[in-house]
Amino acid sequence: MSDARTMPGSEQARVRVRMGRRTGSISRRRRLGLILRLLVAAVAIVFALFPVLWVISASFNPTGNLATQQLIPRNPSTINYQNLLTNPLSPFGSWLLNSLKVSVLTSVLGVISIMLSAYSFSRFRFQGRRQLLLGLLLVQVFPTLLMFVAIFYLFQQLGNYIPFLGLNQHAPLILTYLGTQMGIQIWLMKGFFDSIPRDIDESALVDGATHWQIFWQLIFPLARPMVVIVGLLVFIASYNEFVLASVLLKDVNQYTLMVGLYLFVSDAFTQNWGIFAAGALLGSLPVVIIYLALQDQIVGGLTAGAVKG
Amino acid sequence: MMNDIKARGSSEPLAPPSRNVLGYLLRLGGLAIVDAFAVWFLYVLLRDGVWPIAIPVALIVILVNIVNLNERLAAMRWQIPAVSIILLIVVFPIAFTIYSSFTNYRSGHILSKQQVINQLEGRLYLPEGGPTFAWAAYRNPDGEFGLWLVDEAGNKFWALPDAPIEEAGAVSEDIGPVDDDGYPTRVGEYRRLTGGDLFRSLEALNGVRFGEGDEAVQIRNTRQAATLQPRYQYDPERDAIIDQLEGTVYFGNEERGYFISEEGQNLLPGYQVMIGTRNYERLFTSPAFRGPFIRIFLWTIAFALLSVVTTFALGLLLAMAFNDPLLPGRKLIRSLLIIPYTLPGIIGVLIWRGMLNPFVGVLATTSQSIFGWFPPFLTDPFWVKVGILLVNLWLGYPYMMLISSGALQSIPEDIYDAAAVDGANAWQRFWNITLPLLLVSVGPLLIASFVFNFNNFTVIFGYNEGRPPIAGSPTPAGHSDILISYTYRIAFEGGRGSDYAYAAAVTVVIFAIVAILTLIQFRFTRQWEEVSESV
């Protein structure tokens, strides 16, 4: 516990020195206010990071539990990581690959469908366009999560005839993630396309370009930053998803990472927190990095209305 | 549509077919392949009576065809991937959930009636009488059996499991010399079993079906084998299944979803039928069902509300604390504070589950050793709820902090200056200016967050699967279950089998609540009007 506090504490001291130099003129009261704020920050950071620090510590703790009362374990070892990667009963490597496969495919297929749909909504005026756009928003009112029974039935039945669309396969999971995420993202993307001036594509039309050419050669390059953000949001949401994956996948080798990590701590398995900690760290790394790298852009997306679990 | 584009000044109509003949032919070819597949698929679905799936599939196929064949709908072609997937994954489940809440869809009633009939008609039995074969058994080095058969007319056959029965003359393997009984000593790799070998193998041989499909032979005793007969036959006129072995007649019962004999015996498995509003009646009128439902409903509301209030309060506090541009290390502080938000939700919950575990958890053991006591966060009905709210606070405050700090920056400074001139103290400024202005912009997001938490399965299930259980509930139900985790457990965890239809009925009730909340949200923000105007 004391170890955890020293870090923000020393940060605070350093900060105070620097502040004193720069803001010598500000009032005593204001300085008190700043110190108070930094104290709040210190407490909040301890609350935010304590579980994370502890899971790091537990992952290097060879005794396999989280109870040790020291942040730096007595005999740090990588035994948990070794067990994690070698135990055939819990194929962590396959889970990670499954997760990456599902999320990458969802992201790529999603971005393509989203862009096609958004481009058409943005550039064409066709019959039923308005109804379709509003319908897209309306069906989002019903969270797909609620419909796991129907989705389970759908793929149970489809699998009787088309095996790769059956339970325990990854294609149904990808389809489900696409269906649940596309509605909102189409709206976001359409908004972005709307902000690209129409003059660009209309002059191309005059020059004899087809809409397909305009889409690929003009609009797509302009939209690339937005495409990356949408793709990453879809990737993160699919990578993190737990409920639908645990409904649709029953075979341990087909699990995605989140379903697999849950297995470590559920009662069905002998609870092994050390291995779980190692897996949780390795498994979180990709998304944490994406988030921290793209903080500002993602915050922008948040206020546009996406809520993440 | 073309007219519209022209009206907006473009000279060229959209992708005229004359200009791109190859593309047009390719599209027609693709469509032909899709249609051929669709016809086969729809045929098998309807043959088996799986019309709940056949309807959306047919709709998608019709849509794809119309849009591809009608040049006037060319713009809709861009919508095909998105619209097809949304029809299948979002629209179909909504419709199916509502439909199945009026059926008896549960363990033992999974299949359609036609699928049950097909399954029953595929079952075989060994008849008492009828034509028989004399047999000799063979085994290959891998331990697999083969059977040499001689029928009453003296014709010889060679039979292996899961392969068509062959006439002896057509067998490709070389057949060894005939022994004293008149049977070959070996057939290819297979050697004849005699004496003690045969005796030891009898038990295993007894259960083996030789041959394929409804052409199957099984040994009846040490001398005779016989062709298996289909056990059940469906009579569409009487809507009855006749059991050839027992002679019993089972009549289809459209209320209970079984074929039932006159003695009242059910033939398993059952099939899906409509049972009207019975699931809803159970939910609202049966005290045993209603009790846990009301308790779970109230906790769901409380959980969602308290989650929003606590995360928003902490998030706003932090946002206000760090809104000061003079604060050093602002960016670093923010990055550290949003780390809980960047972790996958389920992992965050599971970490807390570990820390709160009374035996191995660091919080539990530390508190035990210092205070000699630790709240039973994972087992006591009250403390479980406290723990869940704590975990959800940890998971959720960064989001609130981010949206609040965005909204805070959009409040103009001069309002505060004016308030300061009027002598308002800090508290009054917060209560009368900051909060009301903030709520205008983040209000809709708070409602969205309420709806999100209303269905926050991950936290509840990851924390401790809804436990501790509510005593005496006929469905699996726990003190910390919210409606959605309750639904999940009815559907997938029932000790007495899964009751998908009842789960669907609960889901429809949640639909209604969520729809009302969203309506309020749209009202509150007039978002719908804005949206309708802007599209």
Side-chain angles (χ1 to χ4, degrees):
Chain A
M1 200 66 198
S2 62
D3 288 313
R5 262 202 210 113
T6 47
M7 193 198 64
S10 61
E11 158 78 12
Q12 182 193 331
R14 209 180 64 228
V15 148
R16 220 181 299 165
V17 172
R18 206 169 62 203
M19 206 175 65
R21 240 181 285 136
R22 199 177 57 192
T23 57
S25 62
I26 58 170
S27 71
R28 203 185 150 77
R29 215 182 131 183
R30 187 140 174 79
R31 199 177 310 169
L32 262 177
L34 279 179
I35 290 169
L36 196 69
R37 278 156 212 252
L38 286 173
L39 274 175
V40 171
V43 173
I45 287 173
V46 169
F47 176 59
L49 293 191
F50 183 70
V52 178
L53 294 177
W54 208 264
V55 97
I56 294 173
S57 151
S59 78
F60 290 106
N61 183 339
T63 58
N65 66 42
L66 297 173
T68 335
Q69 291 170 30
Q70 285 146 324
L71 199 59
I72 296 167
R74 205 163 293 157
N75 313 302
S77 89
T78 55
I79 185 80
N80 287 322
Y81 289 90
Q82 288 164 25
N83 287 339
L84 178 75
L85 296 173
T86 52
N87 186 351
L89 287 178
S90 51
F92 182 81
S94 325
W95 296 343
L96 187 61
L97 281 182
N98 290 341
S99 268
L100 290 175
K101 172 178 129 191
V102 167
S103 333
V104 167
L105 280 174
T106 308
S107 180
V108 170
L109 295 174
V111 164
I112 294 172
S113 327
I114 290 164
M115 284 208 302
L116 291 176
S117 174
Y119 179 79
S120 154
F121 278 132
S122 170
R123 289 306 196 255
F124 303 144
R125 294 290 174 274
F126 52 92
Q127 229 181 10
R129 171 183 173 278
R130 208 183 128 83
Q131 287 82 345
L132 208 56
L133 260 175
L134 293 180
L136 222 50
L137 206 57
L138 193 69
V139 291
Q140 303 296 324
V141 169
F142 306 101
T144 313
L145 195 55
L146 277 178
M147 294 175 265
F148 40 61
V149 173
I151 289 182
F152 178 76
Y153 171 83
L154 175 70
F155 291 114
Q156 185 189 46
Q157 289 288 356
L158 285 181
N160 286 338
Y161 307 100
I162 309 172
F164 89 102
L165 285 180
L167 299 177
N168 248 333
Q169 302 293 319
H170 290 143
L173 207 56
I174 294 172
L175 280 176
T176 309
Y177 292 163
L178 287 173
T180 47
Q181 297 176 43
M182 264 186 323
I184 290 292
Q185 305 291 358
I186 288 173
W187 270 86
L188 277 180
M189 190 68 96
K190 172 193 167 285
F192 184 81
F193 284 161
D194 283 343
S195 72
I196 299 176
R198 283 229 172 86
D199 313 352
I200 301 180
D201 32 318
E202 279 175 8
S203 60
L205 273 178
V206 173
D207 291 344
T210 63
H211 271 283
W212 190 244
Q213 288 167 329
I214 294 173
F215 174 68
W216 272 119
Q217 291 166 16
L218 284 176
I219 305 291
F220 181 67
L222 284 174
R224 208 171 281 159
M226 185 67 182
V227 169
V228 171
I229 291 291
V230 166
L232 286 176
L233 284 177
V234 172
F235 175 89
I236 292 173
S238 314
Y239 187 88
N240 288 353
E241 206 283 333
F242 164 69
V243 187
L244 293 164
S246 65
V247 168
L248 292 176
L249 306 174
K250 290 290 165 237
D251 173 14
V252 173
N253 289 309
Q254 291 288 85
Y255 277 1
T256 57
L257 200 58
M258 299 306 140
V259 185
L261 287 176
Y262 173 75
L263 186 75
F264 281 131
V265 300
S266 68
D267 300 330
F269 208 77
T270 43
Q271 298 187 354
N272 194 328
W273 292 97
I275 295 185
F276 163 77
L281 274 181
L282 291 185
S284 314
L285 226 49
V287 277
V288 172
I289 290 171
I290 294 177
Y291 255 109
L292 292 180
L294 295 172
Q295 256 186 76
D296 296 326
Q297 290 90 324
I298 288 174
V299 171
L302 289 183
T303 29
V307 184
K308 170 217 161 229
Chain B
M1 180 226 74
M2 274 188 271
N3 293 340
D4 286 329
I5 285 188
K6 272 188 192 142
R8 288 194 293 114
S10 61
S11 58
E12 215 46 51
L14 184 89
S18 58
R19 211 173 59 184
N20 196 347
V21 178
L22 182 68
Y24 185 68
L25 287 178
L26 273 178
R27 194 164 71 235
L28 280 191
L31 197 61
I33 294 170
V34 169
D35 283 352
F37 175 76
V39 166
W40 165 79
F41 190 41
L42 285 171
Y43 165 72
V44 291
L45 284 176
L46 290 173
R47 181 196 65 195
D48 293 349
V50 195
W51 59 267
I53 304 284
I55 292 176
V57 171
L59 277 178
I60 291 171
V61 173
I62 292 170
L63 173 86
V64 169
N65 273 287
I66 292 180
V67 163
N68 271 299
L69 293 174
N70 188 342
E71 277 309 310
R72 286 171 48 90
L73 294 174
M76 280 287 284
R77 283 174 207 154
W78 301 66
Q79 304 286 355
I80 286 176
V83 169
S84 307
I85 291 175
I86 287 178
L87 269 178
L88 196 65
I89 302 296
V90 184
V91 179
F92 162 75
I94 295 174
F96 182 79
T97 303
I98 296 172
Y99 157 75
S100 66
S101 71
F102 295 101
T103 68
N104 66 340
Y105 180 33
R106 61 182 143 89
S107 299
H109 295 266
I110 302 284
L111 302 172
S112 74
K113 187 173 183 180
Q114 192 57 50
Q115 283 173 317
V116 167
I117 292 170
N118 294 349
Q119 198 183 82
L120 288 172
E121 285 190 331
R123 287 192 195 165
L124 303 173
Y125 78 110
L126 195 60
E128 290 290 317
T132 57
F133 301 91
W135 60 270
Y138 296 75
R139 191 166 59 190
N140 70 2
D142 297 338
E144 289 159 346
F145 291 112
L147 212 59
W148 187 268
L149 299 164
V150 183
D151 73 6
E152 281 151 356
N155 300 314
K156 302 180 179 76
F157 303 91
W158 173 242
L160 294 171
D162 300 317
I165 297 178
E166 293 171 298
E167 282 197 49
V171 174
S172 53
E173 288 107 348
D174 66 313
I175 295 171
V178 173
D179 64 13
D180 299 345
D181 305 334
Y183 294 107
T185 47
R186 63 180 182 85
V187 178
E189 291 257 275
Y190 290 82
R191 300 206 163 272
R192 184 172 178 206
L193 295 170
T194 47
D197 285 342
L198 178 62
F199 185 74
R200 278 188 292 278
S201 304
L202 266 183
E203 201 176 335
L205 262 175
N206 238 328
V208 180
R209 279 186 185 179
F210 295 92
E212 213 180 28
D214 50 3
E215 273 277 301
V217 171
Q218 201 172 328
I219 63 166
R220 188 190 279 162
N221 53 41
T222 49
R223 295 203 320 278
Q224 288 182 323
T227 305
L228 294 166
Q229 302 279 326
R231 175 159 177 187
Y232 297 100
Q233 226 162 19
Y234 180 64
D235 176 0
E237 269 177 31
R238 288 194 291 168
D239 184 28
I241 292 266
I242 299 116
D243 180 347
Q244 310 287 340
L245 176 61
E246 314 262 342
T248 325
V249 180
Y250 297 89
F251 294 96
N253 184 322
E254 295 311 301
E255 270 181 26
R256 297 182 47 201
Y258 283 114
F259 286 103
I260 302 176
S261 72
E262 281 179 347
E263 289 83 47
Q265 217 181 357
N266 297 337
L267 185 59
L268 299 176
Y271 51 89
Q272 275 186 49
V273 289
M274 299 288 282
I275 57 164
T277 57
R278 229 183 298 160
N279 291 314
Y280 294 95
E281 284 162 29
R282 267 201 301 173
L283 178 57
F284 290 117
T285 60
S286 153
F289 282 89
R290 198 179 47 193
F293 178 78
I294 289 179
R295 194 181 273 194
I296 289 167
F297 177 76
L298 292 177
W299 162 235
T300 309
I301 301 270
F303 163 71
L305 201 65
L306 289 171
S307 292
V308 174
V309 170
T310 52
T311 53
F312 181 61
L314 182 60
L316 178 59
L317 175 79
L318 295 175
M320 285 178 28
F322 310 132
N323 196 29
D324 189 337
L326 282 179
L327 189 74
R330 224 168 126 219
K331 173 108 191 188
L332 177 71
I333 293 175
R334 190 181 81 168
S335 297
L336 290 177
L337 286 181
I338 64 166
I339 281 186
Y341 183 72
T342 64
L343 284 179
I346 182 73
I347 288 184
V349 179
L350 293 177
I351 292 174
W352 278 91
R353 179 181 175 150
M355 295 200 307
L356 295 176
N357 185 300
F359 305 111
V360 302
V362 59
L363 292 182
T365 48
T366 309
S367 166
Q368 287 282 8
S369 63
I370 296 174
F371 307 109
W373 182 75
F374 185 68
F377 273 122
L378 292 173
T379 46
D380 178 79
F382 172 75
W383 285 103
V384 160
K385 291 173 183 161
V386 175
I388 286 175
L389 286 171
L390 177 73
V391 174
N392 210 20
L393 174 65
W394 185 81
L395 286 170
Y397 82 85
Y399 170 71
M400 294 297 187
M401 182 181 83
L402 292 174
I403 62 169
S404 303
S405 72
L408 278 177
Q409 276 152 26
S410 68
I411 298 178
E413 272 301 311
D414 45 0
I415 301 188
Y416 291 108
D417 296 341
V421 169
D422 291 345
N425 62 28
W427 181 248
Q428 285 170 325
R429 286 201 300 268
F430 170 74
W431 204 245
N432 295 322
I433 301 174
T434 312
L435 198 58
L437 283 176
L438 206 61
L439 282 178
V440 172
S441 51
V442 301
L445 296 178
L446 294 187
I447 298 181
S449 168
F450 181 87
V451 172
F452 172 79
N453 278 309
F454 197 89
N455 296 309
N456 198 339
F457 179 90
T458 306
V459 167
I460 301 295
F461 197 78
Y463 185 81
N464 70 345
E465 291 96 13
R467 280 170 299 189
I470 295 176
S473 167
T475 52
H479 281 279
S480 63
D481 263 323
I482 57 174
L483 283 172
I484 188 154
S485 63
Y486 175 56
T487 315
Y488 176 91
R489 294 172 63 175
I490 298 168
F492 298 111
E493 261 187 9
R496 275 148 270 168
S498 302
D499 195 340
Y500 302 111
Y502 183 68
V506 178
T507 306
V508 170
V509 174
I510 308 179
F511 272 173
I513 297 167
V514 170
I516 292 169
L517 287 170
T518 311
L519 209 68
I520 295 172
Q521 181 190 6
F522 280 140
R523 258 290 150 72
F524 184 49
T525 60
R526 317 186 104 245
Q527 201 175 339
W528 192 252
E529 284 90 334
E530 273 169 40
V531 160
S532 312
E533 279 157 21
S534 72
V535 291

